[in-house]
Amino acid sequence: MSIKFLRALSTSAILSVAASSAMAAECIAPANPGGGWDFTCRQIGKILFDIGQVDAPVQVTNLAGAGGGLAFSTVVNERNDDPDLIVAASSATTTRLAQNAYGGATADQVRFVGAIGADPGVIVVAADSPFQSLGDLVDAIKADPSSVAFAGGSAVGGFDHLKPLQVLKAGGFDDITAVKYIGVDGGADAITQTVGGFTQAMTGDMSEIVGFIPTGDIRVLAVLTEERVPGFEDIPTAIEQGFDVVAVNWRGLYVPKDISDEQFEAWGAKLAAVAESDEWKQAMADNGLAPFTKVGGDFQSWIDGVVAQTEELSREIGVIQ
């Protein structure tokens, strides 16, 4: 075999590897390993390859900083036309964008391609509470806003705070600045405050309360999903009680804004395939997520509405000007 042929073969191999690397998809997790965004990238990335939606394993890059802001600015300023890039996102992403937590960045600087699972929002009271339904709770606040205080695991203005405000707005109560909210260190503390009688209700996520349901210490007034959650079919939704609110900590992706519509829809189709896979259904069951599938243009439209509503509520309670 000639030296010339070997050189040509070597060059061809290098070019082939380079081309393969250039075409390999990458998922940015805007946080350190562990946690929700890292889980999203690693699970979705693995399943995309396992079910043949991508030709090579998805590279996961952890890019922590500014609560997701560093990753967002990197995509917008350096990689805004990269068709092989996906970025893990959640309700925290859109809440921070709506509240200008990323230094002037706005949600329309990227495209939200889809969500395929969620930790459902819940409204909870103590088992001995006089409130038997979500309507009872809302009626009590309408009659006397000072009579009910909510405990939640986020700071004032955070997602837990916004959940009951959305319910109250849907119930025709507009004086949301009069609603009492106490931010504590996580959902378990919020439940403790409520069961102990220090607050009258808890606002949080399904994953935070599942361990408390068997004890009989709490009553879940509503889950904030479109349909009842599998495995918890006895918990009614807010919607079926007359409050048109969906508030879930969704797990999904955004992509660079300047990719083509065809590339955007292609990512939506790939994500939909993951959502339908047995592998993803098992991952949801293992990690306490409920089905929540919105992809492509449908999801982007939903996100636009969520951001607008979050901005409005945040202004009303003074989180942003």
Side-chain angles (χ1 to χ4, degrees), residues 68-115:
L70 177 59
F72 194 89
S73 65
T74 299
V75 173
V76 171
N77 296 318
E78 300 176 21
R79 304 183 62 180
N80 210 28
D81 61 354
D82 187 342
D84 300 312
L85 178 65
I86 52 179
V87 187
S90 65
S91 299
T93 310
T94 48
T95 299
R96 288 167 183 160
L97 285 165
Q99 295 177 344
N100 196 29
Y102 291 167
T106 56
D108 60 2
Q109 291 178 295
V110 299
R111 302 180 76 175
F112 287 85
V113 72

Side-chain angles (χ1 to χ4, degrees), residues 96-288:
R96 288 167 183 160
L97 285 165
Q99 295 177 344
N100 196 29
Y102 291 167
T106 56
D108 60 2
Q109 291 178 295
V110 299
R111 302 180 76 175
F112 287 85
V113 72
I116 61 171
D119 196 354
V122 291
I123 304 293
V124 175
V125 295
D128 60 358
S129 169
F131 306 128
Q132 299 295 318
S133 70
L134 191 59
D136 290 345
L137 181 66
V138 170
D139 287 343
I141 294 171
K142 284 181 174 180
D144 180 7
S146 67
S147 67
V148 174
F150 291 89
S154 73
V156 171
F159 194 44
D160 285 341
H161 186 188
L162 298 181
K163 291 169 191 170
L165 301 186
Q166 291 179 53
V167 171
L168 288 162
K169 293 277 281 188
F173 182 77
D174 292 323
D175 188 17
I176 59 173
T177 57
V179 178
K180 294 167 132 183
Y181 174 81
I182 300 171
V184 295
D185 190 17
D189 283 355
I191 289 176
T192 300
Q193 291 287 316
T194 301
V195 171
F198 299 102
T199 59
Q200 288 67 52
M202 176 265 187
T203 164
D205 294 327
M206 178 69 80
S207 63
E208 296 172 322
I209 69 164
V210 290
F212 292 89
I213 293 175
T215 68
D217 291 331
I218 62 172
R219 178 184 306 125
V220 188
L221 296 185
V223 61
L224 307 180
T225 49
E226 292 178 337
E227 299 178 356
R228 295 195 181 197
V229 176
F232 301 92
E233 286 86 358
D234 57 331
I235 302 175
T237 67
I239 290 175
E240 68 188 79
Q241 297 179 73
F243 303 91
D244 190 8
V245 174
V246 173
V248 297
N249 188 12
W250 51 266
R251 308 291 189 197
L253 304 169
Y254 66 81
V255 293
K257 181 176 182 178
D258 289 342
I259 67 173
S260 69
D261 289 343
E262 291 77 16
Q263 290 163 337
F264 174 77
E265 294 298 339
W267 274 120
K270 293 177 189 297
L271 198 56
V274 173
E276 291 298 317
S277 70
D278 291 337
E279 291 87 342
W280 177 248
K281 291 171 185 174
Q282 186 61 53
M284 286 195 297
D286 291 344
N287 291 276

Side-chain angles (χ1 to χ4, degrees), residues 46-62:
K46 180 180 185 301
I47 295 171
L48 280 168
F49 180 62
D50 289 347
I51 65 175
Q53 289 296 311
V54 294
D55 296 330
V58 175
Q59 174 187 332
V60 175
T61 302
N62 292 94

